[in-house]
């Protein structure tokens, strides 16, 4: 029997693993957030370059001031994320001569300001459309007039050709 560490669901991302003919969805930690040692002048490239030595990186997110938007890095392999986090904890990862600090990144469940069960503008729009009979607008075949405006291959309208042949 294998023992698995129980991890909080907010720190996990799903990974599919094939075992024989079965596909098992496992939750693994693969994303760390940088909580100290990075400033607004630190570039995304310098952060990525320092952490790439631990493994391939899927996403390196670093925009503007880290006090407003926390930088985070998602590795392709959970073992790379663990190796990076261990090295950071030992003070081995420096950016501009300053050791950085990091922690596992929790997954956000809902966008900021989202209230469970709240109606969105899309919900309101769809309700209004249903109240009007559900039509979104005229289709291409519904021209709204009695006369057809279809054109033939030579570019003239059909009624123009019939007038000229008379």
């Amino acid at each position: 029997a294998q023992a698995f560490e129980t991890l909080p669901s907010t720190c996990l991302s799903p990974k599919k693993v094939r075992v024989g003919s079965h596909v098992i969805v496992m939750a693994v930690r693969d994303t760390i957030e940088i909580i100290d040692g990075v400033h607004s002048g630190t570039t995304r490239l310098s952060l990525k370059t320092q952490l790439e030595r631990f493994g391939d990186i899927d996403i390196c997110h670093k925009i503007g001031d880290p006090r407003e938007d926390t930088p985070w890095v998602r590795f392709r392999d959970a073992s790379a994320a663990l190796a990076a986090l261990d090295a950071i904890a030992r003070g081995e990862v420096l950016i501009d001569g300053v050791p950085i600090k990091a922690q596992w990144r929790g997954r956000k469940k809902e966008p900021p300001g989202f209230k469970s069960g709240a109606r969105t503008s899309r919900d309101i729009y769809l309700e209004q459309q249903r109240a009007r009979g559900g039509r979104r607008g005229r289709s291409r075949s519904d021209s709204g007039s009695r006369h057809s405006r279809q054109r033939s291959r030579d570019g003239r309208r059909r009624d123009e050709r019939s007038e000229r042949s008379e």
Side-chain angles (χ1 to χ4, degrees), residues 96-144:
D96 300 326
V98 178
I100 64 172
K101 293 182 183 174
Q103 64 187 15
W104 290 115
R105 180 170 192 248
R107 295 246 170 195
K108 294 192 166 81
K109 297 200 183 330
E110 291 150 357
F114 180 81
K115 294 178 184 164
S116 182
R119 290 184 338 163
T120 64
S121 60
R122 183 175 189 276
D123 295 330
I124 295 167
Y125 171 77
L126 291 174
E127 287 171 10
Q128 290 172 346
Q129 290 299 327
R130 282 187 214 109
R132 290 185 194 137
R135 291 192 60 185
R136 288 189 167 187
R138 294 185 296 176
S139 69
R140 290 184 178 207
S141 62
D142 182 14
S143 66

Side-chain angles (χ1 to χ4, degrees), residues 5-14 27-30 104-107 109:
E5 178 186 1
T6 303
L7 303 171
S9 62
T10 58
C11 297
L12 306 175
S13 63
V28 295
R29 290 178 169 181
D30 61 358
W104 290 115
R105 180 170 192 248
R107 295 246 170 195
K109 297 200 183 330

Side-chain angles (χ1 to χ4, degrees), residues 4-74:
F4 292 98
E5 178 186 1
T6 303
L7 303 171
S9 62
T10 58
C11 297
L12 306 175
S13 63
K15 294 280 183 181
K16 292 181 180 178
V17 178
R18 184 173 293 281
V19 179
S21 62
H22 301 285
V23 174
I24 299 172
V25 178
M26 298 177 59
V28 295
R29 290 178 169 181
D30 61 358
T31 306
I32 61 174
E33 62 184 6
I34 312 305
I35 56 173
D36 196 20
V38 175
H39 53 84
S40 59
T42 304
T43 64
R44 186 188 73 80
L45 185 59
S46 64
L47 179 62
K48 185 177 179 186
T49 301
Q50 284 298 316
L51 295 175
E52 273 181 326
R53 66 182 187 212
F54 301 103
D56 290 338
I57 292 176
D58 257 349
I59 300 171
C60 180
H61 174 84
K62 191 322 188 157
I63 300 173
D65 189 351
R67 291 174 295 189
E68 295 173 13
D69 191 9
T70 305
W72 54 271
V73 178
R74 182 185 311 146

